[in-house]
């Protein structure tokens, strides 16, 4: 089989892995080829609008396991291929020097045995780092059930490692993933966290994971609570959510016509809120099990707490400011720096780059509301205004929330 | 009536010019600075040409950095690289502000001069950021990597420094087709040149890897998630001309 065919098979098999980050790593050497860039760099965007920053491939798609949601499962009759470490290294180097990519994302199905597979990943990364003296970004998967020693040795060569948690609950895992147990996933994850805390240069850009959403009946609340746990307990850098794309016809999987992209988008927003904005999962959900698809989770929270609004821009603390829908970390910092010099009105806010589209319903400047319009205290009315505005701006007849035209930002990477 | 000052088109030339203006007594609002070769004289103008003086520009550079910081100075440089109209005059006024207020100027967003410099420099740094990812090199017969692009702003210098770090073991050439400028790196240092004639053909590997990359690019798109609008938003059409995967 030639390299073109291998790349096609093993690239296609890896495309459902959502992590694309190439950021957060600092490796300083005076020798060798390439570098990493703290902010990460996107090198292209595919027809689905997702960025390509790494050469994302599987080492092999021959699998011993038979997970219901996976295209590469044992029971599927598909074309199989396996790279050699040398082939992956050559591809990476040649793509890298042409500036097609920022580095390598190497995952794999489990062929022969977990240890055999992990060893192949290790060999590939070793070849890149030592024979080719490659200093670019490398993200490599830790294979469940592989020996911790192999994982450890690989981790010293990689920027990032990840173990896929796959599904948000043990029950779902048992249902769809008969060969994996909760332990087989959490054990290596915990191990990577532990070594990372003890050793320098081990997985310097941290650990991430990904889970599939929409293939089982797990609620958003369950998903976000789990993520919160993963951030706290395992110090993960990122949890990625992947709207399930139906690749297999399996009765155990919930019927999905189209991948639930809007739900995925809302989960990323909620994830951002717990990771960066100090929200807790309980705060975001209170009595609900799922996120509101019509408005983003910060608006959802604000609507439930209208008594905390409006916030006075010239007096509010940083913590209060970042909870205003439409005001992010950057805007909040700018507001605080600028109001030292003079008090801010709505024009000033616009000048320093604060977007008022949503914020205007929740703030005052020196006691004044935006364009003298009254701030409503009835949540339903505020919500309606926010949604109607959006519909008018989008110029669509009537919002269909599953229409992919409605939202254009799919956040998958941190770059 | 305006007092027109002309400079040679280089950044150091502009700094020399501004330093000269700062030491003469002219009304700030009546100052116009223009590039010598692009300047179209008006009937009543009597332009003054200020020749490059490295010591003088170096002096002003130090003065600005010590009054503010390196990041602020970089903003001025990036603004200079932009194609914004009247950028020279704005840079002059911005430097005056820095010498008066120090690095606090960056918080004076409501000031038109500050706003102008912030916007222009952000535009430039954004374009540099895009090209870090979207520059495409091809390997030519002697193993040299060759890239061409047509940036909106004059970013050949900063982008070349980025690739010096990135591709430090390779010989490469980056060609700004729009301005007919080149940077050449020989694994030790970069040389900046004006257009020379390049005649080279691809190496044996080149066609294979272009084919592999195109195939990979196509393979990675998930049909069920197709969203061409989002693709164009992230990767506007103006970049496509030199993108291997889009040709």
């Amino acid at each position: 089989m030639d390299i073109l065919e291998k790349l096609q098979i093993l690239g296609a098999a890896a495309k459902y892995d959502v992590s694309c980050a190439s950021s957060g790593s600092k490796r300083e050497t005076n020798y060798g080829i390439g570098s990493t860039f703290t902010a990460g760099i996107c090198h292209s965007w595919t027809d689905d609008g997702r960025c390509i920053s790494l050469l994302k491939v599987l080492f092999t798609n021959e699998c011993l396991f038979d997970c219901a949601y996976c295209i590469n499962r044992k029971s599927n009759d598909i074309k199989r291929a396996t790279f050699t470490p040398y082939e992956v290294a050559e591809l990476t180097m040649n793509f890298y020097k042409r500036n097609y990519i920022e580095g390598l994302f190497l995952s794999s199905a489990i062929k022969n045995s977990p240890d055999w597979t992990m060893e192949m990943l290790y060999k590939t990364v070793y070849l890149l780092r030592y024979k080719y003296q490659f200093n670019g970004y490398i993200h490599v998967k830790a294979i469940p059930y592989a020996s911790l020693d192999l994982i450890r040795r690989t981790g010293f060569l990689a920027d990032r490692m990840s173990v896929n948690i796959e599904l948000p609950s043990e029950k779902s895992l048992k249902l769809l993933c008969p060969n994996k147990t909760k332990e087989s996933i959490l054990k290596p994850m915990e191990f990577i966290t532990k070594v990372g805390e003890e050793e320098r240069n081990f997985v310097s850009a941290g650990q991430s994971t990904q889970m599939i959403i929409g293939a089982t009946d797990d609620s958003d609340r369950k998903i976000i609570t789990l993520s919160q746990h993963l951030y706290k307990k395992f110090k993960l850098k990122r949890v990625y959510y992947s709207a399930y794309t139906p690749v297999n016809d399996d009765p155990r999987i919930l019927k999905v016509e189209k991948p639930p992209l809007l739900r995925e988008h809302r989960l990323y927003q909620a994830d951002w809120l717990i990771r960066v904005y100090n929200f807790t999962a309980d705060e975001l959900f209170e009595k609900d099990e799922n996120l509101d698809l019509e408005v983003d989770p910060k608006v959802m929270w604000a609507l439930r707490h209208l008594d905390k609004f409006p916030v006075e821009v010239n007096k509010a603390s940083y913590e209060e400011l970042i909870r205003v829908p439409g005001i992010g970390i950057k805007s909040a910092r700018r507001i605080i720096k600028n109001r030292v010099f003079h008090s801010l009105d709505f024009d000033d806010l616009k000048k320093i780059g604060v977007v008022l589209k949503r914020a205007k319903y929740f703030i005052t400047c020196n006691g004044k509301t935006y364009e003298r319009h009254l701030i409503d205290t009835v949540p339903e009315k505020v919500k309606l205004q926010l949604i109607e505005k959006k519909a008018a701006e989008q110029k669509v007849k009537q919002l269909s929330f599953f229409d992919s035209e409605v939202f254009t930002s799919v956040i998958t990477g941190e770059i | 009536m305006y007092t027109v000052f002309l400079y040679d088109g280089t950044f150091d030339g502009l700094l020399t010019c501004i330093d000269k203006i700062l030491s003469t007594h002219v009304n700030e609002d009546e100052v116009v600075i223009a590039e010598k070769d692009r300047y179209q004289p008006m009937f009543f103008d009597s332009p003054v040409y200020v020749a490059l003086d490295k010591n003088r520009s170096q002096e002003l550079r130090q003065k600005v950095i010590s009054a503010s910081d390196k990041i602020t100075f970089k903003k001025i440089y990036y603004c200079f690289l932009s194609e914004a109209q009247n950028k020279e005059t704005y840079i002059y006024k911005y430097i005056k502000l820095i010498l008066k207020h120090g690095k606090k100027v960056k918080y004076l967003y409501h000031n038109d001069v500050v706003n102008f410099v912030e916007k222009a420099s952000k535009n430039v740094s954004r374009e540099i950021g895009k090209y870090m990812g979207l520059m495409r090199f091809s390997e030519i017969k002697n193993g040299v990597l060759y890239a061409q692009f047509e940036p909106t702003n004059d970013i050949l210098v900063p982008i070349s420094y980025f690739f010096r770090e990135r591709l430090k073991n390779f010989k490469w050439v980056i060609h700004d087709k729009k301005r007919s400028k080149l940077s050449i790196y020989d694994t030790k240092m970069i040389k900046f040149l004006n257009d020379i004639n390049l005649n080279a053909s691809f190496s044996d590997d080149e066609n294979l890897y272009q084919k592999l990359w195109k195939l990979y690019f196509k393979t990675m798109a998930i049909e069920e998630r197709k969203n061409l609008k989002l693709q164009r938003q992230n990767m506007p059409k103006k970049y496509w001309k030199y993108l291997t995967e889009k040709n």
Side-chain angles (χ1 to χ4, degrees), chain A residues 204-333:
Chain A
S204 60
Q207 191 184 178
S208 66
T209 191
Q210 104 167 25
M211 64 177 94
I212 298 156
I213 56 151
T216 55
D217 61 1
D218 300 290
S219 68
D220 292 348
R221 181 192 203 113
K222 200 178 245 169
I223 293 167
I224 291 298
T225 309
L226 172 64
S227 300
Q228 182 172 286
H229 198 68
L230 292 169
Y231 288 130
K232 263 209 188 115
K233 193 164 176 219
F234 294 129
K235 312 269 180 333
L236 291 196
K237 279 274 152 36
R238 283 296 296 271
V239 176
Y240 290 95
Y241 308 92
S242 162
Y244 181 65
T245 310
V247 290
N248 295 329
D249 197 15
D250 191 299
R252 289 169 291 175
I253 297 175
L254 286 188
K255 275 271 165 281
V256 267
E257 293 281 305
K258 273 183 179 175
L261 295 181
L262 182 54
R263 184 178 176 208
E264 177 193 279
H265 180 56
R266 292 280 178 251
L267 282 167
Y268 275 114
Q269 290 175 319
D271 180 276
W272 216 269
L273 291 180
I274 59 166
R275 190 157 44 86
V276 187
Y277 287 77
N278 301 326
F279 277 86
T280 63
D282 285 346
E283 270 181 306
L284 287 180
F285 290 96
E286 289 177 22
K287 287 173 203 133
D288 301 329
E289 278 304 308
N290 287 301
L291 295 166
D292 195 328
L293 290 180
E294 289 178 313
V295 290
D296 70 64
K298 208 186 197 185
V299 169
M300 192 179 101
W301 177 84
L303 291 176
R304 260 198 239 113
H305 298 276
L306 279 182
D307 54 305
K308 291 191 165 66
F309 296 99
V311 161
E312 169 54 47
V313 167
N314 287 297
K315 289 194 184 119
S317 67
Y318 173 77
E319 280 71 26
E320 284 167 326
L321 282 173
I322 59 170
R323 290 203 164 207
V324 175
I327 296 185
I329 304 264
K330 257 192 195 159
S331 298
R333 282 192 192 142

Side-chain angles (χ1 to χ4, degrees), chain B:
Chain B
M1 177 122 49
Y2 290 109
T3 319
V4 181
F5 294 89
L6 301 178
Y7 74 108
D8 63 358
T10 66
F11 186 53
D12 279 313
L14 176 62
L15 290 181
T16 314
C17 187
I18 290 173
D19 195 54
K20 165 101 197 234
I21 303 168
L22 289 172
S23 64
T24 38
H25 294 282
V26 277
N27 187 344
E28 183 188 295
D29 294 325
E30 287 167 8
V31 169
V32 169
I33 310 173
E35 199 180 324
K36 193 171 145 246
D37 294 341
R38 287 192 189 176
Y39 175 65
Q40 311 247 318
M42 303 287 278
F43 193 70
F44 291 107
D45 287 352
S46 48
V48 184
Y49 175 64
V50 183
L52 167 72
D53 177 342
K54 277 256 174 177
N55 291 332
R56 233 175 154 157
S57 77
Q58 200 56 32
E59 222 170 85
L60 183 61
R61 184 190 298 250
Q62 285 315 321
K63 227 158 130 190
V64 171
I65 292 174
S66 60
S68 56
D69 50 29
K70 280 192 174 158
I71 296 168
T72 311
F73 187 78
K74 196 168 156 193
K75 262 182 206 163
I76 296 171
Y77 177 56
Y78 276 13
C79 179
F80 171 77
L81 297 180
S82 80
E83 294 282 298
Q85 288 272 316
N86 300 329
K87 60 185 182 190
E88 293 91 349
T89 318
Y90 278 102
I91 289 175
Y92 156 68
K93 288 180 180 171
Y94 189 70
I95 288 179
K96 266 192 102 169
L97 279 173
I98 289 174
L99 297 177
K100 196 171 157 200
H101 298 287
K103 60 178 164 189
K104 271 193 289 186
V105 287
K106 66 179 165 199
Y107 302 126
L108 308 173
Y109 287 92
H110 51 288
N111 182 307
D112 287 341
V113 175
V114 179
N115 217 313
F116 179 94
V117 173
E118 288 283 337
K119 271 199 187 127
S121 72
K122 198 165 274 172
N123 186 300
V124 169
S125 67
R126 229 177 249 149
E127 194 178 26
I128 294 171
K130 273 280 187 229
Y131 272 113
M132 285 177 182
L134 293 174
M135 191 80 81
R136 295 286 174 264
F137 288 88
S138 310
E139 195 181 67
I140 47 184
K141 275 258 150 66
N142 50 5
V144 173
L145 297 169
Y146 171 71
Q148 42 189 346
F149 72 148
E150 288 175 36
T152 310
N153 303 296
D154 192 4
I155 58 172
L156 182 65
V157 174
I159 204 81
S160 299
Y161 284 116
F162 170 76
F163 283 107
R164 184 179 64 174
E165 281 313 293
R166 172 70 32 119
L167 301 171
K168 51 181 168 277
N169 293 22
F170 296 93
K171 292 178 180 171
W172 49 253
V173 176
I174 300 175
H175 191 173
D176 179 345
K177 286 247 177 176
K178 196 169 144 191
R179 296 175 184 76
S180 299
K181 285 181 177 175
L182 290 166
S183 67
I184 295 179
Y185 176 70
D186 61 1
T187 72
K188 285 181 190 71
M189 58 186 291
I190 310 176
K191 275 189 199 129
F192 293 96
L193 300 169
N194 288 327
D195 223 350
I196 48 169
N197 230 343
L198 279 175
N199 259 327
S201 47
F202 285 163
S203 72
D204 296 339
D205 277 356
E206 185 54 29
N207 290 324
L208 170 68
Y209 283 104
Q210 288 199 5
K211 218 161 132 190
L212 280 163
W213 174 240
K214 283 180 193 179
L215 175 82
Y216 180 75
F217 177 77
K218 249 185 33 219
T219 306
M220 290 315 279
I222 297 177
E223 184 59 30
E224 290 87 341
R225 304 182 69 125
K226 200 165 182 170
N227 191 343
L228 294 172
K229 198 175 141 198
L230 180 57
Q231 181 190 42
R232 273 199 307 278
Q233 200 172 295
N234 288 318
M235 191 166 73
K237 271 205 162 144
K238 65 171 180 179
Y239 295 103
W240 292 11
K241 191 169 165 193
Y242 298 112
L243 280 179
T244 318
E245 62 269 34
K246 278 290 174 194
N247 287 299

